[in-house]
Amino acid sequence: MESSPLSALEQRLISHLQVLYPQTDAGELARQCLSALKLDAKTPSPQPHRNIWDQRDIMLITYGDTLRWDDHPPLETLHGFVKTRLSDAISVVHLLPFFPYSSDDGFSVMDYTTVNPSVGRWRHVSALAQDFKVMGDLVINHCSSRSRWFENYKAGVEPGASYFYEADPNADLSNVVRPRTSPLLREIQTQNGIKHVWCTFSHDQIDLNFENPAVLLEFLSIIYQYLEQGIRWFRLDAVAFLWKTPGTSCINLPNTHEIIRLLRLLIEHKAEDAVIITETNIPNRENLTYFGNANEAHLIYNFSLPPLLINTLVTGSCDHLKNWLMRMPPAQQGTTYLDFVASHDGVGLRPTEGLLTEWELDNLINTMKRFGGKVSSRTLPSGDIKPYEINISLWNALSGSVAKGPDQWQFARFMCAAGIQLALEGVPALYIHSLFGTENDHDRVEHTGQLRSINRHIWNMDDLEHALNTPTHHQKVFEAMVRLLKIRRGQPAFHPNATQYVLHMGDRLFAFWRQSLDRRQSLFAIFNISDEPQSFNLAELNLIATDEWTDLVSGQKHEDLLGKVTLMPYQFLWLANKVGKLSEPN
């Protein structure tokens, strides 16, 4: 009997598998991949170049236990807060790893199939996914040294015995690019003798071996469980380091991109509304490659934005930010950027390579130290130590300027950063502490011994509610941020794929133009990024005289299109010819 012809999905899947696993029966492995996802081979392909997002999509980044209240499960507390306070301001919740873990605040996963009992249960994740889109972390490069897989590795039994990447300690690994200063290899006593396992990050985070197709199949089963619980957005954590080839840099290798294309193919066939985001904290040019040809990541992190924007606002010059933005290619339809300024990690410095000089970088680092920040480092292939990221809360990072130190413009500077982030091409992602203006948590750093803890404060809900309901800077920030988010969500010109064009208005005024996909709404975003008043003439913008122009932020109408506008320190305009509606709850 002749076998039935292969479906289009099977043919595409086999082509990827033949590249990755040339010694394996690709047809049989393709069937196993489909089975792991419970995916019908005849599933039609989704329409390419679809934008599965619009201007209403704004992401909240948070740990599952950032908000705690008495004996309530933290995930339940978080759900209640975002539903009550933010349902008309955000649409996506990025739940940072919520699994049992042994270190790194969740990124050293012990069990991908279980929710950490101290945070909640799968039902809490599913409940959140009914009200918001939920992004989950696929911590795909490594897992905990205390995981069942690694225990099995040491015992020489499956699953696990062949799951981890081993290396010869005498091999030439001098070209390997790393984000840490710890030794790359860890010596382990196993049932089969002494082995040396690969540890890109820490010795508690053992790198998985994707040369073994069984590891791929394990992660497809994990992805299936995520989908079953309502998760639709997938963050591929540290994915740039996934594939190793000794003698190379072991970062951004061709097979890493091939794995991403394979995962994209399978996940979007299983769920048409699924979105893949790659987390690649690397120089800008390399980061852009993770779009592929609109067949890898749907979204990539705009990693150069945080250091460049902070540098802009503390130096009072937008030259570097403007030049970078001018060189950023418009994303193809069906792809876009994830714009963030703060996150659970520090402010990455690798994305400034080729954008800031060494002197400018040192100046930024020293300024952040003045504002209470810390600096983490990495080891270069040469053995030299180099700054890797700045650890600081965004509120403190914007507390002053390079020239004058802390000043009275902290709130205005903070909101200017938000105004820029929300106006740029892409989907904005706001760290939960940016909504509250949370300060550096030095006590938590001392308690954990981890520099990143400075920006991972845990709020008791009683304390947070008090801070948001009394005259504090937390209340002022929260109310201003939510108002800005609501305005943003109503403007078609802020669609993540709407046209963006940089304007030249000097180094103290950062400005760009956005136009909606249907070309009906034009919006000029103009920011004074200095601590002194700045003026410009509306005639510079060539506004269409037959339209009515309104600043969406203040509500002021600008009828004299030849008039002069003066912006106070860090003041900004969202000047639009049409006023969109305020957003409504999801």
Side-chain angles (χ1 to χ4, degrees):
M1 179 181 295
E2 293 185 7
S3 59
S4 58
L6 295 176
S7 67
L9 172 57
E10 287 173 304
Q11 291 178 38
R12 293 173 63 189
L13 181 54
I14 287 172
S15 69
H16 291 303
L17 294 171
Q18 286 173 333
V19 173
L20 293 164
Y21 308 108
Q23 307 303 319
T24 304
D25 181 343
E28 174 57 29
L29 183 54
R31 286 187 284 275
Q32 293 174 348
C33 290
L34 294 171
S35 176
L37 273 177
K38 297 180 171 54
L39 179 57
D40 187 340
K42 295 184 173 60
T43 301
S45 298
Q47 187 71 26
H49 302 291
R50 297 170 301 131
N51 293 325
I52 322 172
W53 45 75
D54 62 24
Q55 64 273 11
R56 294 169 294 179
D57 283 308
I58 297 174
M59 180 183 292
L60 178 73
I61 306 168
T62 180
Y63 279 102
D65 64 348
T66 294
L67 307 181
R68 295 181 182 175
W69 185 36
D70 297 336
D71 296 326
H72 296 269
L75 281 175
E76 185 177 84
T77 300
L78 173 68
H79 187 185
F81 179 83
V82 294
K83 188 173 182 178
T84 302
R85 293 271 200 164
L86 298 172
S87 62
D88 51 358
I90 66 165
S91 63
V92 186
V93 177
H94 174 196
L95 275 183
L96 290 157
F98 46 82
F99 313 101
Y101 68 94
S102 54
S103 64
D104 199 17
D105 282 351
F107 285 92
S108 187
V109 179
M110 296 169 62
D111 181 359
Y112 294 84
T113 65
T114 305
V115 176
N116 191 333
S118 67
V119 175
R121 298 289 186 272
W122 274 117
R123 60 184 172 86
H124 296 118
V125 176
S126 299
L128 182 64
Q130 291 177 8
D131 292 324
F132 300 89
K133 302 169 188 176
V134 171
M135 181 162 86
D137 276 276
L138 200 62
V139 185
I140 196 170
N141 179 71
H142 51 261
C143 73
S144 169
S145 65
R146 291 172 53 193
S147 65
R148 180 173 65 91
W149 289 348
F150 198 64
E151 291 298 323
N152 286 352
Y153 168 79
K154 291 186 289 186
V157 298
E158 299 289 1
S162 58
Y163 278 21
F164 296 92
Y165 196 87
E166 299 172 350
D168 180 353
N170 296 315
D172 181 6
L173 304 176
S174 60
N175 292 323
V176 175
V177 172
R178 303 210 31 241
R180 298 291 184 271
T181 56
S182 57
L184 174 62
L185 302 183
R186 175 184 173 184
E187 183 179 293
I188 294 291
Q189 178 68 53
T190 75
Q191 186 70 25
N192 299 314
I194 297 291
K195 302 292 182 182
H196 293 85
V197 292
W198 194 284
C199 302
T200 297
F201 291 88
S202 78
H203 280 194
D204 185 44
Q205 295 165 300
I206 317 298
D207 282 38
L208 293 153
N209 181 17
F210 270 84
E211 291 181 10
N212 178 2
V215 175
L216 171 66
L217 293 173
E218 284 278 13
F219 273 89
L220 292 178
S221 297
I222 292 166
I223 289 168
Y224 174 77
Q225 181 169 7
Y226 281 25
L227 289 166
E228 286 293 287
Q229 300 296 339
I231 294 172
R232 288 295 182 271
W233 289 43
F234 293 82
R235 178 182 184 268
L236 306 188
D237 176 65
V239 71
F241 302 98
L242 191 67
W243 202 274
K244 285 84 175 168
T245 301
T248 73
S249 64
C250 298
I251 186 172
N252 307 321
L253 296 187
N255 278 8
T256 293
H257 289 275
E258 196 72 38
I259 286 277
I260 296 170
R261 288 191 286 269
L262 183 150
L263 293 176
R264 162 79 177 260
L265 175 70
L266 289 169
I267 291 174
E268 69 179 3
H269 274 78
K270 183 64 179 179
E272 282 194 357
D273 58 343
V275 174
I276 291 177
I277 300 178
T278 50
E279 187 265 336
T280 49
N281 189 359
I282 52 180
N284 194 55
R285 184 182 296 272
E286 298 167 29
N287 190 34
L288 289 168
T289 65
Y290 283 86
F291 277 139
N293 186 21
N295 61 350
E296 294 188 32
H298 291 91
L299 282 79
I300 63 170
Y301 278 79
N302 230 342
F303 271 109
S304 295
L305 178 61
L308 289 182
L309 180 52
I310 292 171
N311 185 71
T312 292
L313 291 169
V314 299
T315 62
S317 171
C318 67
D319 280 350
H320 289 308
L321 184 65
K322 181 170 62 178
N323 291 335
W324 164 75
L325 194 61
M326 288 170 59
R327 294 198 298 266
M328 289 293 283
Q332 292 188 54
Q333 297 296 317
T335 67
T336 193
Y337 297 100
L338 190 73
D339 295 325
F340 74 109
V341 184
S343 74
H344 59 291
D345 289 339
V347 180
L349 299 178
R350 286 214 68 202
T352 67
E353 292 176 13
L355 301 175
L356 296 180
T357 67
E358 288 294 324
W359 181 86
E360 289 167 329
L361 191 57
D362 288 344
N363 210 17
L364 176 62
I365 289 172
N366 290 332
T367 301
M368 294 300 101
K369 286 180 177 179
R370 289 173 64 193
F371 298 163
K374 309 290 184 180
V375 179
S376 302
S377 300
R378 67 184 180 98
T379 301
L380 300 178
S382 64
D384 294 337
I385 304 299
K386 187 172 184 177
Y388 178 69
E389 69 176 19
I390 299 168
N391 303 109
I392 192 169
S393 79
L394 185 60
W395 177 253
N396 288 96
L398 299 176
S399 60
S401 67
V402 169
K404 302 175 184 177
D407 58 23
Q408 73 270 37
W409 302 113
Q410 185 174 19
F411 172 77
R413 191 180 286 111
F414 189 85
M415 293 309 302
C416 185
I420 292 172
Q421 177 188 6
L422 294 176
L424 286 171
E425 173 189 355
V427 173
L430 292 112
Y431 190 35
I432 192 168
H433 291 300
S434 296
L435 294 181
F436 310 141
T438 307
E439 304 99 325
N440 290 334
D441 192 338
H442 292 287
D443 290 341
R444 187 166 172 80
V445 173
E446 187 174 343
H447 175 70
T448 66
Q450 302 297 319
L451 297 184
R452 284 178 168 176
S453 296
I454 199 170
N455 196 28
R456 296 177 179 178
H457 181 70
I458 302 294
W459 276 99
N460 175 279
M461 277 304 297
D462 290 334
D463 294 337
L464 179 60
E465 289 293 348
H466 180 264
L468 297 183
N469 292 317
T470 54
T472 63
H473 85 265
H474 302 295
Q475 180 192 59
K476 189 176 181 181
V477 167
F478 185 74
E479 291 180 353
M481 289 290 288
V482 170
R483 177 177 176 272
L484 209 56
L485 294 174
K486 290 180 181 179
I487 295 171
R488 194 259 186 206
R489 296 185 80 201
Q491 313 310 319
F494 284 151
H495 186 287
N497 295 90
T499 298
Q500 177 172 284
Y501 187 83
V502 178
L503 305 177
H504 297 277
M505 301 180 69
D507 66 344
R508 299 301 179 95
L509 290 173
F510 178 58
F512 50 92
W513 171 67
R514 303 293 308 275
Q515 187 182 56
S516 61
L517 296 176
D518 63 8
R519 299 190 178 184
R520 293 183 179 180
Q521 187 185 43
S522 282
L523 195 153
F524 292 85
I526 306 167
F527 306 84
N528 177 2
I529 51 81
S530 77
D531 59 4
E532 296 179 351
Q534 302 294 325
S535 299
F536 67 95
N537 294 313
L538 284 174
E540 296 178 48
L541 304 180
N542 294 319
L543 302 178
I544 299 173
T546 55
D547 289 344
E548 293 185 357
W549 294 90
T550 304
D551 172 25
L552 303 178
V553 180
S554 66
Q556 180 183 351
K557 293 186 182 299
H558 290 266
E559 297 177 351
D560 181 6
L561 301 189
L562 300 178
K564 184 176 182 179
V565 174
T566 298
L567 297 179
M568 297 304 292
Y570 306 104
Q571 184 184 354
F572 61 94
L573 305 178
W574 286 350
L575 191 61
N577 64 339
K578 296 183 183 298
V579 179
K581 297 179 180 178
L582 285 177
S583 71
E584 298 178 353
N586 297 304

